[in-house]
Coordinates of all heavy atoms in Angstrom, one line a residue:
L65 N -1.5 0.3 2.9 CA -1.5 -1.1 3.3 C -2.3 -1.3 4.5 O -2.5 -0.4 5.3 CB 0.0 -1.6 3.5 CG 0.7 -0.9 4.7 CD1 1.6 -2.0 5.3 CD2 1.6 0.2 4.2
A66 N -2.6 -2.6 4.7 CA -3.3 -3.0 6.0 C -2.3 -4.0 6.6 O -1.7 -4.9 5.9 CB -4.6 -3.7 5.7
R67 N -2.2 -3.9 7.9 CA -1.2 -4.7 8.7 C -1.8 -5.1 10.0 O -2.3 -4.3 10.8 CB 0.0 -3.8 8.9 CG 1.2 -4.5 9.7 CD 2.3 -3.4 10.0 NE 3.3 -4.0 10.7 CZ 3.3 -4.1 12.1 NH1 2.3 -3.8 12.8 NH2 4.4 -4.7 12.7
A68 N -1.7 -6.4 10.3 CA -2.2 -6.9 11.6 C -1.2 -6.5 12.7 O -0.1 -6.1 12.4 CB -2.3 -8.5 11.6
T69 N -1.6 -6.6 13.9 CA -0.8 -6.2 15.1 C 0.5 -6.9 15.1 O 1.5 -6.3 15.5 CB -1.6 -6.6 16.4 OG1 -2.9 -5.9 16.3 CG2 -0.8 -6.1 17.6
W81 N -7.8 -11.5 6.3 CA -9.0 -11.0 7.0 C -10.0 -10.5 6.0 O -9.7 -10.2 4.9 CB -8.7 -9.9 8.0 CG -7.8 -8.9 7.4 CD1 -8.2 -7.9 6.5 CD2 -6.4 -8.7 7.6 NE1 -7.1 -7.1 6.1 CE2 -6.0 -7.6 6.8 CE3 -5.5 -9.4 8.4 CZ2 -4.7 -7.2 6.7 CZ3 -4.1 -8.9 8.3 CH2 -3.8 -7.8 7.5
R82 N -11.2 -10.4 6.4 CA -12.3 -9.7 5.6 C -12.7 -8.5 6.4 O -13.2 -8.5 7.5 CB -13.5 -10.7 5.5 CG -14.5 -10.1 4.5 CD -15.6 -11.1 4.2 NE -16.6 -10.5 3.4 CZ -17.4 -9.5 3.7 NH1 -17.4 -9.0 4.9 NH2 -18.3 -9.1 2.8
L83 N -12.4 -7.3 5.8 CA -12.6 -6.1 6.4 C -13.3 -5.0 5.5 O -12.6 -4.2 4.8 CB -11.3 -5.6 6.9 CG -11.2 -4.5 8.0 CD1 -12.1 -4.8 9.2 CD2 -9.7 -4.3 8.5
P84 N -14.6 -5.1 5.3 CA -15.3 -4.2 4.4 C -14.9 -2.7 4.6 O -14.8 -2.0 3.6 CB -16.8 -4.4 4.6 CG -16.8 -5.8 5.2 CD -15.5 -6.0 6.0
A85 N -14.8 -2.2 5.8 CA -14.4 -0.8 6.0 C -13.1 -0.5 5.4 O -12.9 0.6 4.9 CB -14.4 -0.5 7.5
D86 N -12.1 -1.4 5.5 CA -10.8 -1.1 4.9 C -10.9 -1.1 3.3 O -10.2 -0.3 2.7 CB -9.8 -2.2 5.3 CG -8.4 -1.9 4.8 OD1 -8.0 -0.8 4.9 OD2 -7.8 -2.8 4.2
L87 N -11.7 -2.0 2.8 CA -11.9 -1.9 1.3 C -12.5 -0.6 0.8 O -12.0 0.0 -0.2 CB -12.8 -3.1 0.8 CG -12.2 -4.5 1.1 CD1 -13.2 -5.6 0.7 CD2 -10.9 -4.7 0.4
K88 N -13.4 -0.1 1.6 CA -14.0 1.3 1.3 C -13.0 2.4 1.4 O -12.9 3.3 0.6 CB -15.2 1.6 2.2 CG -16.4 0.7 1.8 CD -17.6 1.1 2.7 CE -18.7 0.2 2.5 NZ -19.3 -0.4 3.7
H89 N -12.2 2.3 2.5 CA -11.1 3.2 2.8 C -10.1 3.2 1.7 O -9.6 4.2 1.1 CB -10.5 2.9 4.1 CG -9.4 3.8 4.6 ND1 -9.7 5.2 4.8 CD2 -8.1 3.7 4.8 CE1 -8.5 5.8 5.2 NE2 -7.6 4.9 5.2
F90 N -9.7 2.0 1.3 CA -8.7 1.8 0.2 C -9.2 2.4 -1.1 O -8.5 3.2 -1.8 CB -8.4 0.3 -0.1 CG -7.5 0.0 -1.2 CD1 -6.2 0.0 -1.0 CD2 -8.0 -0.3 -2.5 CE1 -5.3 -0.3 -2.1 CE2 -7.2 -0.5 -3.5 CZ -5.8 -0.6 -3.3
E170 N -0.4 5.4 4.5 CA -1.8 5.2 4.9 C -1.9 3.8 5.3 O -2.0 2.8 4.5 CB -2.7 5.5 3.7 CG -2.7 7.0 3.3 CD -3.3 7.9 4.3 OE1 -4.0 7.4 5.2 OE2 -3.1 9.1 4.1
L171 N -1.9 3.6 6.6 CA -1.9 2.2 7.3 C -3.2 1.9 7.9 O -3.7 2.7 8.7 CB -0.8 2.2 8.3 CG -0.7 0.9 9.1 CD1 -0.3 -0.3 8.3 CD2 0.4 1.1 10.2
T172 N -3.8 0.8 7.6 CA -4.9 0.3 8.3 C -4.3 -0.7 9.3 O -3.7 -1.7 8.9 CB -5.9 -0.5 7.4 OG1 -6.4 0.5 6.5 CG2 -7.0 -1.1 8.2
E173 N -4.4 -0.4 10.6 CA -4.0 -1.3 11.7 C -5.2 -2.2 11.9 O -6.2 -1.8 12.4 CB -3.7 -0.5 12.9 CG -2.5 0.4 12.8 CD -2.2 1.2 14.1 OE1 -3.1 1.2 15.0 OE2 -1.2 1.8 14.2
V174 N -4.9 -3.5 11.7 CA -6.0 -4.5 11.9 C -5.7 -5.1 13.3 O -4.6 -5.7 13.5 CB -6.0 -5.6 10.8 CG1 -7.1 -6.6 11.0 CG2 -6.1 -4.9 9.4
H175 N -6.6 -4.9 14.2 CA -6.3 -5.3 15.6 C -6.6 -6.7 15.9 O -7.4 -7.1 16.7 CB -7.2 -4.3 16.5 CG -6.9 -2.9 16.3 ND1 -5.6 -2.4 16.5 CD2 -7.6 -1.9 15.9 CE1 -5.6 -1.1 16.3 NE2 -6.8 -0.7 15.9
I176 N -5.8 -7.6 15.2 CA -5.7 -9.0 15.5 C -4.3 -9.5 15.3 O -3.5 -8.9 14.7 CB -6.7 -9.8 14.5 CG1 -6.3 -9.5 13.0 CG2 -8.1 -9.5 14.7 CD1 -7.0 -10.4 12.0
E177 N -4.1 -10.7 15.8 CA -2.8 -11.4 15.6 C -3.2 -12.4 14.4 O -3.9 -13.4 14.7 CB -2.4 -12.2 16.8 CG -2.0 -11.3 18.0 CD -0.7 -10.6 17.9 OE1 0.2 -11.2 17.3 OE2 -0.6 -9.5 18.3
Y186 N 6.4 -2.2 11.6 CA 5.6 -1.0 11.8 C 6.5 0.2 11.4 O 7.7 0.1 11.5 CB 5.3 -0.9 13.3 CG 4.2 0.0 13.6 CD1 2.8 -0.3 13.3 CD2 4.4 1.3 14.2 CE1 1.8 0.6 13.6 CE2 3.4 2.2 14.4 CZ 2.1 1.8 14.1 OH 1.1 2.7 14.4
E194 N 3.0 10.1 13.2 CA 1.5 9.9 13.0 C 0.8 11.2 13.0 O 1.1 12.0 13.9 CB 1.0 9.0 14.2 CG -0.5 8.7 14.1 CD -1.0 7.9 15.2 OE1 -0.3 6.9 15.6 OE2 -2.1 8.2 15.7
A196 N -2.7 11.5 11.7 CA -4.2 11.3 11.8 C -4.5 9.8 12.2 O -3.7 8.9 11.9 CB -4.8 11.6 10.5
R197 N -5.6 9.6 12.9 CA -6.0 8.3 13.3 C -7.5 8.3 13.5 O -8.1 9.2 14.1 CB -5.3 7.9 14.7 CG -5.8 6.6 15.3 CD -5.1 6.2 16.6 NE -3.7 5.9 16.3 CZ -3.3 4.6 16.1 NH1 -4.1 3.6 16.1 NH2 -2.0 4.4 15.9
A198 N -8.1 7.3 12.9 CA -9.6 7.0 13.1 C -9.8 5.6 13.5 O -9.4 4.7 12.7 CB -10.3 7.3 11.8
D199 N -10.3 5.4 14.7 CA -10.5 4.0 15.2 C -11.9 3.5 14.9 O -12.9 4.3 14.9 CB -10.3 4.0 16.7 CG -8.9 4.4 17.1 OD1 -8.0 4.0 16.4 OD2 -8.8 5.1 18.1
H200 N -12.0 2.3 14.5 CA -13.3 1.6 14.1 C -13.5 0.3 14.9 O -12.6 -0.5 14.9 CB -13.3 1.4 12.6 CG -13.2 2.6 11.8 ND1 -14.3 3.4 11.5 CD2 -12.1 3.2 11.3 CE1 -13.8 4.5 10.8 NE2 -12.5 4.4 10.7
P201 N -14.6 0.2 15.6 CA -14.8 -1.0 16.4 C -15.1 -2.3 15.5 O -15.4 -2.1 14.3 CB -16.1 -0.7 17.2 CG -16.8 0.3 16.3 CD -15.8 1.1 15.7
A202 N -14.9 -3.4 16.1 CA -15.2 -4.7 15.4 C -16.7 -4.6 15.0 O -17.5 -4.1 15.7 CB -14.9 -5.9 16.2
Q203 N -17.0 -5.2 13.8 CA -18.4 -5.3 13.4 C -18.6 -6.7 12.8 O -18.0 -7.1 11.8 CB -18.7 -4.3 12.3 CG -18.7 -2.9 12.8 CD -19.2 -1.9 11.7 OE1 -18.9 -2.0 10.6 NE2 -20.0 -0.9 12.2
G204 N -19.5 -7.5 13.5 CA -19.7 -8.9 13.1 C -18.4 -9.7 13.1 O -17.7 -9.7 14.1
D205 N -18.1 -10.3 12.0 CA -16.8 -11.1 11.9 C -15.6 -10.2 11.6 O -14.5 -10.6 11.6 CB -16.9 -12.1 10.7 CG -17.9 -13.2 11.1 OD1 -18.2 -13.4 12.3 OD2 -18.4 -13.9 10.1
A206 N -15.8 -8.9 11.2 CA -14.7 -8.0 10.9 C -14.1 -7.5 12.2 O -14.7 -7.0 13.1 CB -15.2 -6.9 10.0
P207 N -12.7 -7.6 12.3 CA -12.0 -7.1 13.5 C -12.0 -5.6 13.6 O -12.2 -4.9 12.6 CB -10.6 -7.7 13.3 CG -10.5 -7.9 11.8 CD -11.8 -8.2 11.3
A208 N -11.7 -5.1 14.8 CA -11.5 -3.7 14.9 C -10.3 -3.3 14.1 O -9.4 -4.0 13.9 CB -11.3 -3.4 16.4
C209 N -10.3 -2.0 13.7 CA -9.2 -1.5 13.0 C -9.0 0.0 13.2 O -9.9 0.7 13.7 CB -9.3 -1.8 11.5 SG -10.7 -0.9 10.7
S210 N -7.9 0.5 12.8 CA -7.6 2.0 12.9 C -7.0 2.4 11.6 O -6.1 1.7 11.0 CB -6.7 2.3 14.0 OG -7.2 1.9 15.3
F211 N -7.5 3.5 11.0 CA -6.9 4.1 9.8 C -5.9 5.1 10.3 O -6.3 6.1 10.9 CB -8.0 4.7 8.9 CG -9.0 3.7 8.4 CD1 -10.3 4.1 8.3 CD2 -8.7 2.4 8.1 CE1 -11.3 3.2 7.8 CE2 -9.7 1.5 7.7 CZ -11.0 1.9 7.5
V212 N -4.6 5.0 10.0 CA -3.6 5.8 10.5 C -2.8 6.4 9.4 O -2.4 5.7 8.4 CB -2.7 5.0 11.5 CG1 -1.7 6.0 12.1 CG2 -3.5 4.2 12.5
T213 N -2.6 7.7 9.4 CA -1.8 8.4 8.4 C -0.4 8.8 9.1 O -0.4 9.3 10.2 CB -2.5 9.7 7.9 OG1 -3.7 9.3 7.3 CG2 -1.6 10.4 6.9

Side-chain angles (χ1 to χ4, degrees):
L65 66 143
R67 179 187 179 278
T69 304
W81 48 74
R82 188 175 176 291
L83 197 51
D86 182 50
L87 297 177
K88 288 182 187 130
H89 183 64
F90 177 86
E170 293 290 346
L171 174 64
T172 298
E173 294 177 347
V174 183
H175 301 299
I176 58 170
E177 298 284 324
Y186 196 76
E194 181 178 318
R197 174 179 290 268
D199 298 322
H200 299 273
Q203 291 188 321
D205 292 339
C209 66
S210 300
F211 301 144
V212 187
T213 301

